[in-house]
Amino acid sequence: MKIALDPYMLRRTPLLELPRAVADLGYHHIELSPRDDFLPFFLHPRVDKSGVAAFRKALASAGVEVASVLPLYKWSGPDEDERQAAVRYWKRAIEITVDLGVDVMNSEFNGRPERAAESEAQFWRSMEELLPIFEREGVRLVLEPHPDDFLEDGIGAVNLIRGINSELVSFLYCCPHTFHQGGNLAEIIRYAGPLLTQVHIADSFDFRASSGLRYIVNPPGSTARIHQHLDIGQGEVDWDGFFGSLNEVGFDGIATVCVFAWEERAEDSARYNLSQINQYQQRHS
């Protein structure tokens, strides 16, 4: 299993200093999530060829590799102009990923849950344009259902990915989204089987608990999705069940620490979660 760090809590670290900062925390891999100076959220990439080359040099110097590149675009939104723009952004992001020497990208379904059928149709339009590019470049695409996407259920997401029918497209299980995916962590992991190639590791509380009042959101009846990305052990994810299920299906992909809750102690959080993963791996290997 390749353990990576999502360095979002370190996003104010200059790009060329980021690899050394990650190495100093004990990680050898990065999942490169959105940054304003590289791949911003929902906008066209900002980095040029020389910037990519300089970043590659900094990575090599620090002994760190990019395990996966994570762009987020509105490629399934019901607005067609936004979808077309997102496809343009994806095409450039794929070029950057190839120039980095990376062959894995991961992202979310996006779209709108209240317009799920329209959003899924937009997703397929985007895939028709982008899948041939992924195949031509030999870049794998790993997809996850995110809270407030057009598809949020874990089993449903696995079924949709199977429908894409490409060896290059697989499934990402995100632990902090466990309770928005159905709460059936072990079932989803087993159901995905070899289609599961990447996981996101952070803890979260079960928003459905206490008769649905674990969180009180005003006004009542709000459709807001609420979850956290906490340190392992601070929430209610079944970590023995998670690591045991990974072992059961023979998972050997990318495991990314993606805790966002503690920017004031980002380095301590990164070290702690790496230690916890190693302990759980030893327990369940």
Side-chain angles (χ1 to χ4, degrees):
M1 187 164 74
K2 186 182 294 184
I3 303 173
L5 178 68
D6 181 332
Y8 185 73
M9 292 198 294
L10 305 175
R11 65 193 178 279
R12 294 176 184 86
T13 302
L15 181 66
L16 300 186
E17 297 176 16
L18 182 63
R20 176 57 58 190
V22 169
D24 289 345
L25 294 173
Y27 292 81
H28 302 291
H29 296 90
I30 295 174
E31 179 176 307
L32 192 57
S33 57
R35 295 175 49 109
D36 289 344
D37 58 357
F38 206 86
L39 303 181
F41 282 103
F42 307 120
L43 297 173
H44 192 278
R46 299 307 200 228
V47 68
D48 60 11
K49 183 169 291 188
S50 64
V52 172
F55 186 48
R56 286 194 71 167
K57 184 177 180 180
L59 287 163
S61 177
V64 171
E65 297 179 0
V66 175
S68 180
V69 174
L70 165 57
L72 287 175
Y73 302 128
K74 297 180 181 180
W75 61 329
S76 302
D79 182 280
E80 176 60 13
D81 287 340
E82 286 188 338
R83 188 199 70 80
Q84 290 184 20
V87 168
R88 289 195 294 273
Y89 306 162
W90 261 112
K91 290 176 180 178
R92 176 62 184 136
I94 295 170
E95 289 179 357
I96 291 167
T97 300
V98 172
D99 287 344
L100 274 175
V102 180
D103 63 359
V104 181
M105 301 180 78
N106 61 288
S107 193
E108 302 163 4
F109 285 121
N110 195 253
R112 298 300 313 143
E114 72 275 8
R115 301 174 67 178
E118 292 175 73
S119 295
E120 180 173 333
Q122 295 287 73
F123 171 80
W124 288 110
R125 289 188 183 100
S126 296
M127 286 299 295
E128 286 173 2
E129 294 185 59
L130 293 171
L131 188 57
I133 301 174
F134 283 109
E135 292 175 339
R136 183 187 72 217
E137 300 294 347
V139 174
R140 294 195 292 115
L141 174 64
V142 194
L143 295 172
E144 66 162 304
H146 192 280
D148 208 43
D149 281 357
F150 76 82
L151 179 57
E152 300 173 279
D153 179 74
I155 298 293
V158 173
N159 287 337
L160 188 150
I161 291 168
R162 286 187 175 136
I164 296 171
N165 194 34
S166 171
E167 293 182 356
L168 288 178
V169 186
S170 55
F171 175 66
L172 184 154
Y173 185 85
C174 186
C175 293
H177 304 159
T178 288
F179 306 108
H180 289 276
Q181 292 189 66
N184 46 342
L185 178 155
E187 179 186 355
I188 294 170
I189 290 173
R190 294 190 194 107
Y191 188 73
L195 203 61
L196 176 67
T197 63
Q198 195 162 349
V199 294
H200 279 172
I201 295 178
D203 216 334
S204 191
F205 288 108
D206 188 349
F207 71 95
R208 307 166 302 171
S210 298
S211 302
L213 296 175
R214 180 56 58 84
Y215 307 108
I216 298 175
V217 181
N218 292 312
S222 171
T223 59
R225 274 66 164 175
I226 301 176
H227 67 283
Q228 307 89 359
H229 284 242
L230 303 169
D231 287 341
I232 291 173
Q234 291 183 327
E236 296 172 304
V237 172
D238 176 5
W239 292 107
D240 281 308
F242 172 71
F243 283 97
S245 297
L246 292 186
N247 184 61
E248 182 181 333
V249 301
F251 177 79
D252 191 30
I254 302 167
T256 304
V257 173
C258 58
V259 173
F260 308 139
W262 309 114
E263 291 186 2
E264 67 277 12
R265 55 174 189 81
E267 294 183 359
D268 288 342
S269 172
R271 291 189 181 98
Y272 169 80
N273 287 292
L274 180 59
S275 172
Q276 288 293 298
I277 291 171
N278 288 331
Q279 288 180 40
Y280 275 105
Q281 277 192 288
Q282 290 175 5
R283 186 183 308 172
H284 291 281
S285 63

